Amino acid sequence: MAGAGREHVPFHGSPRPTIGIEWEIALVDKVSRDLSNTAAAVFDSLGDLHAHDGTPQVTKELLRNTVELVTGVHDTVGEAVDDLRGTMDAVRRAADPLGVDLFCAGTHPFAQWSAQQLTRSEHYDELIERTQWWGRQMMIWGVHVHVGVSHRDKVFPILNALLLQYPHLLALSASSPMWAGSDTGYASNRTLMFQQLPTAGLPFQFENWHGFEQFVHDQFKTGVFEQLGGMHWDIRPAPKWGTIEVRVCDGVSTRAELAAMAALIHCLIVDLDRRLEEGETLPALPPWHVQENKWRAARYGLDAIVVVDDKSNERLVTDDVTDLLNRLEPTAKRLGCADELAFVAEIPERGASYQRQRKVAAAAQGDLVAVVDALVKELEQ
């Protein structure tokens, strides 16, 4: 019977609030601007790239049009972004002779999923066998941020409280308004695409680590997944690394915005950790409000009005971001990322990526090749 047992899941706590970033990058043809299934050739040219701690700096993804840049373990956002800069330069040198440019957004504006080739591996083969059409549709890119947490008992109080800022993270990073040549009307179509996978979407709000272990037992016993990596939640514990992994953000096309989003996530988790240490009962939202906030941010982006507390009070997400940044400023100074956090406030002023893409498309009379050109240039700068 489900729930009758419990799987022991050791959490290798991090002694300090470290940060690591994973940045999914697409490969596009220099001429057609369509996606290019050339990841294998890029890897052949790159050879093995590893961080000082042995972490692979470039890894394969489900589709052969994608490479993922991975940092080592760092203490500051600035160090992590510098790490990514060096890896990006190496990938660009490998891709350029192949007639390929680098691109990042939550989705590609006009590529067709049926033209994309899959990376063959036991894990990916099993994923596609199980998910079929929806699995083949996963032509999406995101940013994942890991933050170190010292003890397993902190993980779900922090994770549950972090869900209050889910719509803020998504609205600021939203970059997938277009899909297969059409404007979807959403700021982040990627978010709603990804949640169609049976193990993806919002995390369950467990009261403690034991509840999570019972869930893992049930999933293993019923064959939903065979390893924790098969749990594709938007925010999830990463027990092997001793981190909370935030996977909310759409693909980000500039280093400045990447650093800003990483700083916001780093500060949010460290601030919640501090409040927990000081004996505070962290706030949480009912699951129905969390789900509605996710949809509102995906649909309306920076114009979303979101539920901000368990009393069902609502607020424009950008107004709440302003107060949030002010509250997190002391934490950012302690973490050495005050400048990166401050840049978050510039995203609404400059326009989020989904807004910039629509502006380019309108100026080009609907030519979506121009949108890809603009995103490639943003990533190069």
Side-chain angles (χ1 to χ4, degrees):
M1 183 178 69
R6 183 158 60 86
E7 188 85 18
H8 178 58
V9 182
F11 183 82
H12 301 286
S14 173
R16 60 190 196 282
T18 53
I19 183 167
I21 305 172
E22 301 166 2
W23 195 4
E24 294 174 345
I25 303 294
L27 307 172
V28 295
D29 185 87
K30 287 179 178 289
V31 178
S32 71
R33 287 317 195 193
D34 203 348
L35 289 169
S36 175
N37 291 290
T38 49
V42 170
F43 277 104
D44 287 344
S45 179
L46 271 175
D48 289 332
L49 290 179
H50 289 83
H52 58 84
D53 60 4
T55 307
Q57 292 177 289
V58 187
T59 61
K60 297 178 181 178
E61 279 294 310
L62 172 65
L63 297 177
R64 294 178 64 178
N65 57 36
T66 302
V67 297
E68 184 177 60
L69 314 188
V70 182
T71 71
V73 178
H74 294 283
D75 290 313
T76 69
V77 169
E79 291 171 357
V81 173
D82 282 345
D83 185 343
L84 288 170
R85 180 185 290 113
T87 307
M88 176 80 77
D89 289 344
V91 172
R92 185 169 278 117
R93 287 193 299 270
D96 190 64
L98 301 171
V100 169
D101 279 327
L102 308 186
F103 163 98
C104 191
T107 56
H108 187 282
F110 62 84
Q112 300 295 318
W113 69 268
S114 56
Q116 310 314 313
Q117 297 174 13
L118 297 167
T119 300
R120 297 306 302 271
S121 75
E122 184 177 349
H123 172 65
Y124 290 142
D125 289 350
E126 180 183 349
L127 175 66
I128 295 301
E129 171 60 28
R130 183 165 191 240
T131 60
Q132 293 295 306
W133 189 84
W134 277 115
R136 289 295 308 274
Q137 291 281 323
M138 293 298 120
M139 196 168 55
I140 54 178
W141 299 272
V143 170
H144 308 156
V145 179
H146 288 259
V147 177
V149 175
S150 62
H151 195 276
R152 69 179 195 179
D153 291 344
K154 294 180 176 180
V155 170
F156 279 96
I158 292 173
L159 188 156
N160 296 342
L162 192 59
L163 289 170
L164 274 78
Q165 274 71 56
Y166 186 114
H168 308 63
L169 298 174
L170 181 56
L172 289 162
S173 67
S175 64
S176 50
M178 299 159 194
W179 178 263
S182 299
D183 191 315
T184 65
Y186 282 76
S188 175
N189 193 53
R190 165 194 164 271
T191 299
L192 301 184
M193 290 294 303
F194 191 49
Q195 72 179 16
Q196 304 308 316
L197 295 183
T199 58
L202 291 168
F204 295 109
Q205 296 185 49
F206 297 110
E207 289 186 10
N208 52 46
W209 191 257
H210 293 313
F212 175 64
E213 288 181 320
Q214 181 173 311
F215 162 80
V216 172
H217 169 272
D218 292 349
Q219 302 305 288
F220 283 179
K221 184 172 181 178
T222 56
V224 176
F225 52 75
E226 296 180 354
Q227 54 181 345
L228 286 178
M231 179 183 67
H232 300 106
W233 290 347
D234 299 334
I235 306 176
R236 66 184 182 182
K240 179 180 178 181
W241 309 115
T243 65
I244 292 175
E245 181 185 5
V246 179
R247 301 153 53 86
V248 173
C249 296
D250 270 6
V252 177
S253 62
T254 75
R255 274 200 298 265
E257 286 177 317
L258 179 78
M261 297 310 302
L264 179 54
I265 292 167
H266 201 192
C267 290
L268 280 169
I269 291 176
V270 171
D271 178 64
L272 290 168
D273 193 320
R274 173 192 61 79
R275 291 160 61 185
L276 196 60
E277 288 272 4
E278 292 174 356
E280 181 179 339
T281 299
L282 297 181
L285 274 184
W288 47 91
H289 283 337
V290 175
Q291 181 174 302
E292 176 65 12
N293 277 348
K294 174 179 179 176
W295 182 84
R296 292 184 186 186
R299 170 64 179 88
Y300 300 110
L302 294 173
D303 293 320
I305 296 172
V306 298
V307 183
V308 294
D309 58 34
D310 58 5
K311 298 178 178 62
S312 302
N313 292 307
E314 297 172 289
R315 198 175 188 202
L316 180 65
V317 70
T318 47
D319 290 344
D320 211 49
V321 165
T322 299
D323 288 352
L324 186 63
L325 295 179
N326 290 334
R327 180 166 65 80
L328 292 175
E329 189 175 351
T331 303
K333 289 179 179 177
R334 289 198 302 274
L335 293 172
C337 62
D339 290 343
E340 291 92 341
L341 184 71
F343 190 83
V344 171
E346 296 190 31
I347 295 175
E349 295 176 8
R350 294 166 177 251
S353 180
Y354 75 92
Q355 295 170 319
R356 301 195 302 267
Q357 290 179 49
R358 286 185 170 136
K359 186 175 180 180
V360 170
Q365 290 77 51
D367 180 10
L368 299 185
V369 169
V371 177
V372 179
D373 283 337
L375 288 163
V376 168
K377 288 176 182 175
E378 285 188 355
L379 196 59
E380 288 174 346
Q381 292 171 356

